[in-house]
Amino acid sequence: MAKTNLLDKLAILSDAAKYDASCASSGSAKRNSLKSGGIGSTEGSGICHAYAPDGRCISLLKILLTNFCIYDCVYCVNRHSSNVRRARFSVEEVVDLTLNFYRRNYIEGLFLSSGIIRNSDYTMEEMVRVARSLRLDHGFAGYIHLKAIPEASPALMEEAGLYADRLSVNIELPTDVALSQFAPEKRPRDIRRSMGHLRLKIEEQNDAPSTGGKRPPRFSPAGQSTQMIVGADGADDDAILARSENLYGSFRLKRVYYSAFSPIPDASSKLPLSRPPLMREHRLYQADWLMRFYGFERNEIVSGGDDGMLDLAIDPKLAWALKNRGRFPVDVNRADKEALLRVPGFGTRAVNRILSTRRHRTLRLEDVGRLCQSLAKVRPFITALDWSPGGLTDLNGLRGKLVPQPAQLDLF
Ligand code: SF4
């Protein structure tokens, strides 16, 4: 394959992969010492960043094997009826690209997805061949994230899990009704069955005791994740979070990624004309974190009387605190961990630091300021040795005082 051809494919297939939110940004040009656009250049070639299980931010080559697809999901730029440039990598080309980028230190791994070619098993087999060749033929020790095709055979899923660090099956849309309207070839039952199968394999292999000094083979050690498109159908935030809550509970997913719908060329009239505000995606991630790490129930975050949507102007924890002022102020020197985690402005790290510091001394407001990021946000909701908010907690205009300026986006 001529070099320009390969670069062309790389441009098309990395661009086509950018709609998947499972790794964040793309197009990093940071470590590129070669002439821009050369082989190995990271500029515009789909280097994205993701978090490894140990919390490190790693760079991944994020590409599709092909953007040909026999399915016609209306929200997807790669759907069968879409008029886009198509390309397809061979298995060997993906393996070579990954190894070349890896050896040059541009990436620490591969994120591979694909349109459906011929059928689900054929497509999954091609993706498994990439991972198998990298691991077994080349001893590749980098990170591999494979998108699993829900309808593919269980045997292929099982082999994929032996090579991939993480597998993900996309749930695509918040409700089964929306999925049948927008992605008629996809079946919710298949998606759930695949997720259930992966859950069983992950738990079975990774919890198995070693026998005779031999560790059992790893199976998708970084677990499974999924992606949900936000704003393509009419689902409100409550419905989206309800689906996430169900997925975390039923399939022990590591992450649900929320991807704000992007308008696509020649789009179906079923789709909205504009994308939802990016802030909506951000608020959903915050709400998701509150459910997973802060002990909140979904119905506390988006409560019954609301319109089912999160407040775009303030983060969901602050919104909850303003609706539940009777729960405050919280005494930073006595409150238990659960109560501290509910204070706006305290993240999990700040709470852990407060708990360990107060073992040695009684905390003053100044101490709290050193342990958290925004004392201004915290002050109305806490008491400390030398601080009581007085009427501040119940102040009518408190919300106005705490609404951040548009440029400020902070996590709790
Ligand atoms: S299966 Fe649907 S979402 Fe996936 S590439 Fe094909 S058209 Fe796009």
Side-chain angles (χ1 to χ4, degrees):
M1 186 62 59
K3 180 179 161 185
T4 45
N5 237 338
L6 188 60
L7 289 176
D8 232 17
K9 287 185 192 182
L10 184 57
I12 294 169
L13 293 172
S14 60
D15 190 61
K18 74 184 178 196
Y19 296 97
D20 200 300
S22 309
C23 26
S25 58
S26 68
S28 161
K30 254 195 350 208
R31 284 181 279 170
N32 176 18
S33 58
L34 299 180
K35 193 170 164 236
S36 178
I39 191 80
S41 158
T42 62
E43 198 172 317
S45 61
I47 308 289
C48 77
H49 297 102
Y51 287 94
D54 61 5
R56 277 183 318 123
C57 182
I58 54 174
S59 340
L60 303 177
L61 172 62
K62 181 183 179 185
I63 49 173
L64 299 189
L65 189 62
T66 179
N67 64 343
F68 286 101
C69 191
I70 58 173
Y71 285 11
D72 209 38
C73 309
V74 295
Y75 50 80
C76 178
V77 73
N78 301 316
R79 70 195 184 282
H80 180 66
S81 59
S82 175
N83 183 25
V84 290
R85 285 178 74 204
R86 307 279 178 173
R88 177 176 170 181
F89 282 129
S90 67
V91 167
E92 293 72 28
E93 284 171 338
V94 176
V95 170
D96 286 350
L97 269 177
T98 307
L99 292 173
N100 274 328
F101 276 38
Y102 189 70
R103 288 185 187 124
R104 286 170 167 81
N105 253 351
Y106 298 145
I107 57 164
E108 287 150 278
L110 170 69
F111 175 98
L112 184 64
S113 184
S114 182
I116 313 285
I117 24 174
R118 291 195 208 170
N119 56 54
S120 303
D121 275 355
Y122 177 79
T123 310
M124 193 73 209
E125 169 66 31
E126 292 276 285
M127 294 170 73
V128 169
R129 281 181 59 209
V130 170
R132 185 196 302 136
S133 177
L134 281 168
R135 294 287 194 229
L136 302 188
D137 301 339
H138 300 281
F140 179 71
Y143 186 85
I144 298 179
H145 180 158
L146 291 184
K147 280 275 157 189
I149 316 283
E151 303 84 16
S153 79
L156 283 168
M157 291 285 201
E158 287 177 22
E159 190 176 358
L162 297 179
Y163 310 128
D165 292 279
R166 172 168 284 182
L167 291 171
S168 50
V169 179
N170 280 356
I171 193 78
E172 307 288 8
L173 290 161
T175 65
D176 291 358
V177 173
L179 193 71
S180 63
Q181 283 172 353
F182 289 76
E185 291 100 343
K186 293 192 173 177
R187 290 189 295 273
R189 200 184 47 204
D190 289 336
I191 294 172
R192 284 194 279 271
R193 195 190 55 226
S194 294
M195 287 178 168
H197 183 65
L198 290 182
R199 177 189 169 177
L200 284 178
K201 290 302 298 179
I202 289 167
E203 289 179 352
E204 186 185 299
Q205 303 280 103
N206 297 341
D207 297 346
S210 57
T211 46
K214 270 188 131 187
R215 290 179 65 82
R218 300 184 321 160
F219 186 92
S220 190
Q224 62 168 323
S225 59
T226 194
Q227 168 178 273
M228 203 177 338
I229 299 166
V230 172
D233 64 330
D236 60 22
D237 293 341
D238 193 32
I240 291 168
L241 293 170
R243 175 49 65 101
S244 300
E245 194 175 41
N246 174 272
L247 293 171
Y248 285 124
S250 302
F251 305 113
R252 300 281 185 269
L253 297 190
K254 288 286 186 202
R255 285 291 296 272
V256 175
Y257 290 92
Y258 303 96
S259 172
F261 163 72
S262 293
I264 49 176
D266 309 317
S268 154
S269 59
K270 290 180 190 168
L271 292 171
L273 294 173
S274 57
R275 63 178 294 150
L278 270 181
M279 183 57 78
R280 185 176 175 199
E281 191 183 282
H282 183 68
R283 295 292 179 229
L284 283 167
Y285 275 116
Q286 290 181 314
D288 181 291
W289 275 62
L290 289 183
M291 293 195 301
R292 287 192 297 143
F293 302 117
Y294 289 76
F296 281 80
E297 300 288 335
R298 173 178 51 89
N299 57 15
E300 292 180 291
I301 302 170
V302 192
S303 54
D306 299 337
D307 58 1
M309 300 296 283
L310 296 167
D311 192 329
L312 293 182
I314 54 176
D315 73 67
K317 197 208 267 188
L318 178 57
W320 176 84
L322 290 172
K323 278 189 213 151
N324 292 278
R325 298 191 196 197
R327 305 272 291 258
F328 298 97
V330 161
D331 183 346
V332 292
N333 287 300
R334 291 175 191 275
D336 60 18
K337 185 170 184 176
E338 287 69 31
L340 289 170
L341 281 170
R342 286 179 175 247
V343 174
F346 282 169
T348 49
R349 190 182 304 169
V351 168
N352 287 335
R353 290 168 79 192
I354 286 169
L355 291 173
S356 67
T357 308
R358 79 185 190 187
R359 279 192 217 119
H360 312 293
R361 66 168 188 273
T362 309
L363 299 172
R364 294 173 175 274
L365 190 64
E366 184 186 15
D367 300 318
V368 177
R370 277 196 296 271
L371 300 174
C372 73
Q373 283 190 352
S374 169
L375 194 54
K377 190 170 181 181
V378 168
R379 277 158 43 114
F381 300 104
I382 60 163
T383 58
L385 181 62
D386 59 346
W387 169 255
S388 165
L392 196 52
T393 306
D394 298 318
L395 192 70
N396 279 337
L398 183 57
R399 178 189 161 102
K401 287 185 180 303
L402 294 172
V403 171
Q405 296 308 304
Q408 289 175 267
L409 280 183
D410 56 342
L411 279 171
F412 318 127

